[in-house]
Amino acid sequence: MVQTSWTTEGVFTGQGGVRTDEAGIVSGEMTVRTAWKGGQADVKIQYSGTSQWFTLSGSPVPCTSQQDSRTLHQEVVEAVRTGGGTALRRHSPA
């Protein structure tokens, strides 16, 4: 089974940060990673320069294709920049 992932470093959270399963709300400079495998996208976030990954609340989500997971990754990066306690919502392909 093919696995693909995308990583974006240096993403600053907007006011209110983002919601994770393990640490609650986090804020600051983050790295966002989306991994797609077998029809699911798993989104993780970490403080830039650290090794501990946190699951973005709501992840994993069904995602039917590699391209849809790439689109989802970009949507998540933008949502992290917006802040407001972002959690992952169910993804609907374009």
Side-chain angles (χ1 to χ4, degrees):
M1 189 169 287
V2 175
Q3 178 172 333
T4 305
S5 65
W6 292 271
T7 303
T8 304
E9 299 176 343
V11 180
F12 287 90
T13 61
Q15 185 175 5
V18 295
R19 183 174 307 280
T20 68
D21 290 348
E22 300 86 357
I25 300 290
V26 296
S27 61
E29 184 179 355
M30 301 287 164
T31 298
V32 179
R33 182 183 70 201
T34 303
W36 178 78
K37 182 177 181 180
Q40 282 200 150
D42 185 30
V43 182
K44 305 276 187 186
I45 193 163
Q46 75 179 176
Y47 287 102
S48 292
T50 67
S51 61
Q52 185 175 8
W53 289 96
F54 302 108
T55 303
L56 189 64
S57 292
S59 180
V61 294
C63 197
T64 57
S65 73
Q66 185 177 28
Q67 183 56 46
D68 286 342
S69 67
R70 175 65 182 106
T71 300
L72 172 66
H73 176 78
Q74 192 56 45
E75 290 171 358
V76 168
V77 168
E78 295 306 318
V80 168
R81 288 180 176 139
T82 300
T86 298
L88 194 58
R89 295 189 183 139
R90 199 160 199 80
H91 179 63
S92 300

